[in-house]
Amino acid sequence: LAKMKQATDLHTATLTQHAVTALLQDDLLESQLPRVRALYAAQAQAMLAALTAQMPLGVQWTRPEGGMFVWLTTDGIDTLPLLDRAIAQGVVFVPGAPFFATAPQSNTLRLSFVTVPPPAIDRGVAVLASLIREEMKR
């Protein structure tokens, strides 16, 4: 693994390497996983509830069984221009097209729920839903 890593980058900070080593050797990661999983699960549920309550018909999303993201598919709306409008209102998402190796689907986007508390998730989804509704009227 060390040789593979050296082939992909020049160097990782020594301090970071020592911190990761300590984390793995002292079982700190394993002891924190239940807390992190519970936090992520609650935030994922907050996002799913907000999407269910606020998104217009024609918008679909995944229901993650793990991870950090919800994948959203709109009914033909290009999400790249939508991003600028969302940013202007304090909401950020990742347009989905770059995630496709072939035939990019520009009507998709990725939402992260792990760094956002439930009240902010609710507000962000409300803004995004409003922007999508506006776009659907065009």
Side-chain angles (χ1 to χ4, degrees):
L1 287 175
K3 288 183 185 208
M4 287 173 49
K5 184 192 176 318
Q6 289 172 354
T8 60
D9 67 17
L10 296 176
H11 184 66
T12 302
T14 304
L15 179 61
T16 304
Q17 290 179 355
H18 284 293
V20 170
T21 299
L23 185 74
L24 295 173
Q25 287 177 339
D26 295 341
D27 291 325
L28 290 173
L29 179 62
E30 196 64 36
S31 69
Q32 292 300 313
L33 283 178
R35 186 183 68 78
V36 171
R37 286 181 181 134
L39 177 65
Y40 286 7
Q43 289 173 206
Q45 289 306 313
M47 180 164 282
L48 293 172
L51 290 167
T52 299
Q54 300 178 57
M55 278 296 159
L57 291 175
V59 177
Q60 300 173 342
W61 54 89
T62 59
R63 296 189 171 278
E65 294 180 17
M68 303 180 285
F69 307 104
V70 171
W71 190 258
L72 192 135
T73 304
T74 69
D75 192 14
I77 297 169
D78 186 347
T79 61
L80 186 57
L82 190 68
L83 178 60
D84 290 333
R85 293 175 52 214
I87 290 172
Q89 294 191 40
V91 174
V92 179
F93 59 82
V94 179
F99 291 95
F100 293 86
T102 59
Q105 295 180 21
S106 61
N107 66 321
T108 61
L109 61 90
R110 187 179 78 174
L111 297 172
S112 175
F113 51 81
V114 299
T115 60
V116 186
I121 289 172
D122 198 51
R123 186 190 84 69
V125 170
V127 167
L128 183 58
S130 175
L131 291 171
I132 289 173
R133 274 192 205 85
E134 288 174 18
E135 197 64 33
M136 291 171 108
K137 292 177 183 177
R138 291 183 182 194

